[in-house]
Amino acid sequence: MTLSSVPLATSDIQIPGARRNSTLICVPIVADSVDQMLGQIRKAKEVGGDVVEIRLDYLKNFSPRQDLQFLVKQSPLPTLVTYRPTWEGGQYDGDEGKRLDALRLAIELGADYIDVELQVAPEFINSIQGKTSGKVKIIVSSHNYQNTPSAEELGNLVARIQATGADIVKIATTALDITDCARIFQVLTHSQVPTIGIAMAERGLISRILSAKFGSYLTFGSLEAGVASAPGQPTVKDLLDLYNFRQIGPDTKVHGVIGKPIGHSKSPHLYNAAFKSVGFNGIYLPLLVDSVKNFLTTYSSPDFVGYSYTIPHKEDGLRCCDEIDPIAQAIGAISCMIRRPTDGKLMGYNVDYLGAIAAIEEGLRASNGTTNVGSPLAGKLFVVIGAGGAGKALAYGGKEKGARVVVANRTFEKAQELASKVGGEAMTLAELENFHPEDGMILANTTSVGMKPNIDNTPLSKVCLLLFLILHVMSSECRV
């Protein structure tokens, strides 16, 4: 399979620098003093934000008229004023009348948007009838921190918000599964009024990025990591630089890496930069998936066109393919999947062994100071730690290169099953601790142990690894 074999439509090619959506990036301002807020507002403009959300509930010693006038008048960006109470997930737990008075004052002082909660929206909107300049837009919001309701319930919720007279509908739910985001996309697609739709938490990240594809009025991006105003909020920098947010359009093709966990993956950095460099109309996302089958069934649109697979879903991915490349079939796992544009069928491939084995060979040649045409793995003892999808790929690759393959795994039965397929030997990790062949060995860790954030962890004890190194050095010196 080559890139040239994947057909590209005219819509897949972008005009460099052209903005392809009208979705605004709103930057929440969550400092506890007015001076700090103004500093953050100015920074929000510098990093590329379109709107700032002034979160009054984060301020200490808030003086409504003085502070609002200062912030609204001094802001270089349009202002969205929010005074979120604790009963809707905010910080304010004071008098409700004073809270709503502050929002009315923000309208008087020239704020561009006011966010008011559905629970109090009818009363609030009635209280400002005939008292606004027409500039301000009222966002009526509903936040669900427990789950994402059914499509029918979300439809009813949108109708209730619209009935208040809202200028903009806002729904923020919590994604317990990545498939929950699809219901948010459905709301955005069918909405007849400007709508903000977001699924919070890590499994809802794609809703914040693909909001531009499905027509959300705005999305939220924090100034920096760790200062988000809601769970799962990306930074403005990531939206603009990593995900090329301005270039996402209704016909943008969606790709991603499927795994659990997934936040550590560098694939989005690689692919999004590549897409941008060649003007390809695509986005590549980290996809935290619990069930591969449910994910693929939910996101079956032709615009969801291809995926990489990582731990622990390489074998589940294979079971969900309509057609499987012979090498992937032999390995028993896939590393990537493509939706064939002609009929929508899912085709599975495995190229893990090519990249991993090539990297190992390059390292061996460098350490040996040789440039032999043959594989430096030929005849070597190649120990693969782990018997999952990645382990299967490396064991297969080692066999293809003529190595003597040993599979070590916590569960001996899984090690034995894989070893039998590649004509190798099997052992447990406990047995590997005491395995010291005279000619040394090449160790390849394919387990999740040592992945971010626990990068100092190893599947074998560090004492054991040090002993392996010492024995290897001694063996090399004896041969010299």
Side-chain angles (χ1 to χ4, degrees), residues 106-107 110-114 128 132-138 167:
I107 296 174
D112 299 275
Y113 304 89
I114 300 294
I128 62 172
T132 65
S133 64
K135 168 192 172 184
V136 69
K137 293 186 182 299
I138 304 300
D167 296 305

Side-chain angles (χ1 to χ4, degrees), residues 342-470:
T342 54
D343 57 11
K345 290 192 178 297
L346 298 171
M347 304 179 292
Y349 301 87
N350 195 314
V351 294
D352 275 348
Y353 78 101
L354 293 175
I357 294 298
I360 291 171
E361 288 178 325
E362 183 180 337
L364 288 172
R365 290 190 179 101
S367 65
N368 296 335
T370 62
T371 56
N372 294 339
V373 176
S375 173
L377 274 170
K380 295 290 193 302
L381 186 59
F382 186 46
V383 179
V384 177
I385 303 176
K392 289 180 176 180
L394 263 73
Y396 174 90
K399 174 193 174 186
E400 290 296 297
K401 296 294 184 176
R404 295 179 292 134
V405 178
V406 172
V407 180
N409 194 60
R410 283 181 303 176
T411 307
F412 179 74
E413 288 73 21
K414 286 194 70 175
Q416 192 173 40
E417 181 183 355
L418 175 54
S420 65
K421 291 181 178 179
V422 295
E425 302 175 38
M427 64 175 63
T428 64
L429 290 182
E431 290 173 315
L432 182 58
E433 292 268 355
N434 300 306
F435 185 56
H436 308 303
E438 287 186 9
D439 292 333
M441 58 183 160
I442 299 160
L443 283 175
N445 175 26
T446 70
T447 73
S448 59
V449 180
M451 287 172 55
K452 189 177 179 181
N454 303 312
I455 58 175
D456 291 330
N457 290 353
T458 59
L460 298 175
S461 70
K462 292 179 182 179
V463 172
C464 178
L465 291 174
L466 180 60
L467 180 58
F468 287 161
L469 178 61
I470 292 171

